[in-house]
Amino acid sequence: LEQMNSGNLDVAFAAVTPIVYKCMAGEEFKILATAASSTGMVALAARKDMGIQKLSDMRGKRIGLVRQTSGEYFFDTLRVLNRIPRDAVSVEDQTVESMATGLMDGSLDMVSTWEPQLQTLRGNLTNKLGLFYGDGLYTFTWNMVTLPRTIDRRPVDLEKFMDVLFQAADIIEADPAAV
């Protein structure tokens, strides 16, 4: 979203949470389409060898997340549902990359992250990794967004872009093995 706001992109893809935070800060976006949604895209990933077998074990642990993202919202939702006060954990603002590194090197006990980082963690931590998905509590959506000025300036180009994306989706759905 930052790259789009700075004029480097005309279209960006983002989850709902960062869009909401930006809108609350006074920025304006238009959602052109939702490209995907999933209840299994975001999870709390924890080190079982650091004593986290269930969500209530996060008390006193170091939790990595990227602020103002779906990961933060997901973490807080599961934390509140499990009656864990925010001050009972040490929340550390991270980058997407530093979360995975921190969990793998043991400097973090748990992270709130999403695919493809979850797959990276599965591959590197195997039997040390515990994943908490929230069992349908959160639906992650991946949205194509633009700025109102881009719609005003390039409506025909945006329509062509959307048409190409729909054509590509039709091809993939018709014969997924061929792609």
Side-chain angles (χ1 to χ4, degrees):
L1 296 175
E2 287 80 16
Q3 290 291 316
M4 190 174 61
N5 273 337
S6 65
N8 295 326
L9 298 173
D10 287 327
V11 175
F13 286 84
V16 169
T17 309
I19 295 169
V20 170
Y21 277 112
K22 297 285 187 187
C23 288
M24 289 186 335
E27 298 178 30
E28 189 177 345
F29 299 96
K30 298 294 182 184
I31 297 176
L32 299 174
T34 297
S37 65
S38 172
T39 57
M41 188 82 156
V42 180
L44 296 182
R47 295 282 301 254
K48 290 195 250 181
D49 59 328
M50 299 290 197
I52 303 175
Q53 300 292 325
K54 56 192 181 304
L55 285 171
S56 60
D57 295 334
M58 76 169 76
R59 290 176 187 273
K61 301 297 185 183
R62 299 160 298 177
I63 316 296
L65 53 78
V66 180
R67 296 223 188 258
Q68 298 190 345
T69 65
S70 310
E72 182 177 30
Y73 178 82
F74 182 77
F75 165 74
D76 278 330
T77 299
L78 289 183
R79 180 187 57 74
V80 167
L81 288 173
N82 284 274
R83 294 183 167 82
I84 300 168
R86 186 80 180 224
D87 62 3
V89 296
S90 174
V91 176
E92 300 180 19
D93 192 14
Q94 302 282 316
T95 65
V96 173
E97 297 79 15
S98 67
M99 281 192 301
T101 302
L103 194 63
M104 288 186 288
D105 70 18
S107 61
L108 294 171
D109 304 308
M110 176 184 273
V111 297
S112 187
T113 192
W114 47 87
E115 294 294 354
Q117 288 72 30
L118 289 169
Q119 186 60 35
T120 299
L121 293 170
R122 278 187 210 96
N124 285 285
L125 292 173
T126 56
N127 61 347
K128 294 179 182 178
L129 184 66
L131 295 172
F132 304 95
Y133 286 97
D135 299 324
L137 289 173
Y138 179 77
T139 301
F140 178 90
T141 59
W142 198 236
N143 303 287
M144 184 168 58
V145 297
T146 193
L147 300 172
R149 68 176 182 255
T150 304
I151 293 172
D152 293 341
R153 202 177 69 241
R154 302 185 66 189
V156 174
D157 293 332
L158 288 172
E159 263 187 67
K160 288 179 185 176
F161 182 59
M162 295 288 294
D163 287 343
V164 168
L165 291 177
F166 284 121
Q167 290 170 12
D170 289 343
I171 291 168
I172 291 167
E173 287 179 12
D175 190 4
V179 181

